[in-house]
Amino acid sequence: MYSSFIPPRQVKIGDAAAFVGTTPRAIRHYHEIGLLPEPVRGSDDRRRYGYEDMIRLLWIRKMADAGIALDDIRDAFTDTASDDTAAASDASGAAGAADAEGDDSITSILERLEEALVAQEAELRRQRTAVQRMRTEGSRMGLLSDFVTGRLKSLPEGSLVQADLDSLLVTERIFGPLGAAVQATRFIALATHPDLREDSDRVDAAEEALDDTIAVDDPRVARVAAERHAFEKALHAVIEDSGLAESDDALFDSWDALHPATSDEGEDEADQSSGRGQDSMSAFEVCAKMPYDFSPARLRCMELAEELAALESPTS
């Protein structure tokens, strides 16, 4: 089911900072040191941030919270970009070597950081744990919460794609670890059913092709909506048949056991369930600050897919 809420395609620096949980001053500093590329500017000559910018900001915030120096984060992103270039220019084997070099570089950064954290064990325990988790997971998955990564540990190495991790990162920011752990069910099903992953990639590509050159009443919009609806039905059937839905039910019990409600903490129940704790924004407010680069045609496609799902809903 898709929400009828239409998010912005780009946001100003204040909204970007509020979504990520940092400050406009920090983001400007990221630009100054080359950690974050300069984004496009609007007609008022102010910076505008899109989906890819926000993804990078979220990763920067997660890595900085783990105690990694900004210069090391910048080097890690530079290595990743170099790896991508090498993979595109030589698909016969050099990409693997470049990935290994990138992994070695990141591992070296984490090793140096852990040595510094050991000397400050008492006050930097949380940061050291985060770094150790990153090294254990061997990818950015280690920056997600334990509750989410624990759900994914049984998957074969490399079965999750970067878009999966990006989506979990955003969901954890909006709905907390529990919401991301529930969403992980989708990626578990895709990772363990190659045919389903292939269908997912095909439908995703078809939706991405509905760019600004496509009119909202173009027949392709309705056709892709029908394909999305059919895929979601197939995915739901796999989740039900594989017992993953029952695992979802167990997640809520596990979360309640780990986070018993306390009446005197002064926190709103929604904040407790989301795991946001010190953040004061509601999920709706956070969503309003996260840009998604959806064309009108793609938004219409999402609405049509939602309408098809509502027509088949037992409660409709």
Side-chain angles (χ1 to χ4, degrees), residues 116-130:
L117 294 178
V118 169
Q120 308 170 55
E121 185 80 35
E123 60 185 279
L124 297 177
R125 190 179 308 252
R126 178 187 59 81
Q127 294 179 354
R128 182 185 178 198
T129 300

Side-chain angles (χ1 to χ4, degrees), residues 147-148 150-152 168 171 177-189 235-257:
F147 200 69
V148 179
R151 186 92 166 96
L152 303 168
L168 288 169
T171 299
L178 178 57
V182 172
Q183 186 195 36
T185 297
R186 178 186 188 91
F187 302 128
I188 294 172
L235 176 62
H236 180 73
V238 167
I239 290 174
E240 290 290 336
D241 293 343
S242 62
L244 287 171
E246 297 176 3
S247 298
D248 282 352
D249 294 337
L251 279 176
F252 289 92
D253 294 335
S254 298
W255 181 262
D256 290 340

Side-chain angles (χ1 to χ4, degrees), residues 159-289:
S159 59
L160 291 177
V161 299
Q162 186 60 48
D164 297 341
L165 296 175
D166 290 345
S167 184
L168 288 169
L169 177 72
V170 173
T171 299
E172 184 175 295
R173 172 57 183 159
I174 297 174
F175 298 108
L178 178 57
V182 172
Q183 186 195 36
T185 297
R186 178 186 188 91
F187 302 128
I188 294 172
L190 293 177
T192 52
H193 294 77
D195 292 343
L196 203 59
R197 170 71 79 177
E198 184 177 340
D199 289 341
S200 176
D201 292 343
R202 176 181 54 79
V203 176
D204 287 346
E207 287 181 337
E208 291 174 3
L210 299 176
D211 56 23
D212 288 316
T213 66
I214 307 298
V216 294
D217 57 352
D218 189 295
R220 285 172 287 184
V221 175
R223 183 174 69 249
V224 175
E227 292 175 359
R228 168 58 68 185
H229 174 60
F231 168 75
E232 295 297 333
K233 284 182 60 179
L235 176 62
H236 180 73
V238 167
I239 290 174
E240 290 290 336
D241 293 343
S242 62
L244 287 171
E246 297 176 3
S247 298
D248 282 352
D249 294 337
L251 279 176
F252 289 92
D253 294 335
S254 298
W255 181 262
D256 290 340
L258 291 170
H259 303 83
T262 55
S263 59
D264 56 354
E265 286 184 348
E267 288 188 338
D268 184 90
E269 182 179 351
D271 288 336
Q272 291 180 8
S273 63
S274 70
R276 287 194 303 272
Q278 63 184 6
D279 293 337
S280 59
M281 290 189 295
S282 68
F284 181 82
E285 290 171 328
V286 176
C287 284
K289 297 182 183 299

Side-chain angles (χ1 to χ4, degrees), residues 7-198:
R9 299 184 70 173
Q10 292 180 326
V11 296
K12 296 179 181 179
I13 192 170
D15 287 337
F19 177 84
V20 174
T22 187
T23 64
R25 181 179 180 179
I27 294 178
R28 294 189 187 99
H29 181 60
Y30 298 161
H31 291 308
E32 290 173 0
I33 65 174
L35 179 56
L36 184 69
E38 278 287 340
V40 298
R41 291 180 179 262
S43 57
D44 56 357
D45 200 37
R46 294 184 178 180
R47 295 181 177 94
R48 294 293 191 275
Y49 297 83
Y51 179 78
E52 295 298 330
D53 298 314
M54 300 296 269
I55 289 293
R56 183 154 179 153
L57 278 169
L58 282 172
W59 285 126
I60 291 171
R61 173 71 191 277
K62 283 283 188 178
M63 297 172 89
D65 282 352
I68 302 177
L70 293 182
D71 287 344
D72 288 338
I73 297 175
R74 180 183 58 205
D75 292 343
F77 275 116
T78 300
D79 289 340
T80 301
S82 299
D83 293 349
D84 292 341
T85 301
S89 62
D90 186 359
S92 64
D99 286 341
E101 292 177 4
D103 290 342
D104 289 342
S105 176
I106 294 175
T107 299
S108 176
I109 290 170
L110 294 175
E111 287 174 349
R112 294 200 306 272
L113 176 61
E114 185 172 2
E115 290 174 359
L117 294 178
V118 169
Q120 308 170 55
E121 185 80 35
E123 60 185 279
L124 297 177
R125 190 179 308 252
R126 178 187 59 81
Q127 294 179 354
R128 182 185 178 198
T129 300
V131 173
Q132 289 175 329
R133 285 179 56 233
M134 287 176 63
R135 295 181 64 187
T136 298
E137 300 298 337
S139 72
R140 293 182 184 180
M141 189 172 73
L143 289 170
L144 300 172
S145 70
D146 284 329
F147 200 69
V148 179
T149 56
R151 186 92 166 96
L152 303 168
K153 283 186 181 297
S154 61
L155 292 179
E157 184 177 356
S159 59
L160 291 177
V161 299
Q162 186 60 48
D164 297 341
L165 296 175
D166 290 345
S167 184
L168 288 169
L169 177 72
V170 173
T171 299
E172 184 175 295
R173 172 57 183 159
I174 297 174
F175 298 108
L178 178 57
V182 172
Q183 186 195 36
T185 297
R186 178 186 188 91
F187 302 128
I188 294 172
L190 293 177
T192 52
H193 294 77
D195 292 343
L196 203 59
R197 170 71 79 177
E198 184 177 340

